[in-house]
Every structure is written in C-alpha cells, then in structure tokens.
Amino acid sequence: MCATVVVEDIDPAAPKWDRQRVAIIVGPRLSYLETLRQVRSMLSWLGAPQLGLGATCWCGDFVSIPKTISRVPRQRTAPGRQEVRHAG
C-alpha cells in the first residue's frame, strides 16, 4: 500500500507517521515545497530511497502531495447573542 499525505492541525515543523493509516501527517500552514521536503525526509527516515525530484514510496510510485491545501481559519463564535449598536 502506498503512503499518503494527510494535512492535520499539528506542529508544522514536525511531520508524523501514522502506521494505521499508512500516512504522513503534515501541518496546515506549509507551502508545497516545505511539504515536499518534509515528506521526502520522513520517507527517507522510514527507509524508502528518495531518487529524483518528487517523493517516492517504497513500491516506487510517486507520493501525491496536494499543491493547494485548503487553509480554513478556525471559526470563532460569540458566547451569547451580540447586537450591533450605532453611535449617534
């Protein structure tokens, strides 16, 4: 099974390996090149040789890295009803 890349809310400087999902978990605020660098280093650390420019899985296939990672800000809600009052 090929490794996948999952974006979750973790420390962006430290990728994680999830053995159950066979996935590399990266932070949400990384650029494409930073994500590629982290995925290549994690795969290399796990024993998959990295040749060429992309990230290569153990089976020899390229690991797809999302180029546009959706960056949805955390939503904040008011604790209660708030009204807008105009000065005047």
Side-chain angles (χ1 to χ4, degrees):
M1 181 186 299
C2 279
T4 58
V5 177
V6 178
V7 178
E8 289 182 0
D9 193 19
I10 64 167
D11 180 17
K16 294 182 181 179
W17 171 248
D18 187 356
R19 187 180 314 184
Q20 284 77 27
R21 293 190 284 181
V22 188
I24 298 171
I25 302 170
V26 296
R29 292 175 272 294
L30 297 174
S31 69
Y32 175 75
L33 292 176
E34 291 170 333
T35 305
L36 177 64
R37 188 177 309 123
Q38 284 194 353
V39 169
R40 283 179 59 94
S41 66
M42 179 62 77
L43 286 169
S44 178
W45 182 75
L46 291 169
Q50 299 301 303
L51 306 171
L53 297 176
T56 309
C57 187
W58 298 277
C59 64
D61 288 340
F62 286 108
V63 177
S64 64
I65 297 172
K67 288 190 178 186
T68 56
I69 300 171
S70 60
R71 290 172 173 85
V72 178
R74 291 187 182 199
Q75 302 296 316
R76 296 181 185 165
T77 58
R81 181 178 172 181
Q82 294 182 352
E83 297 179 10
V84 177
R85 298 181 188 212
H86 297 284

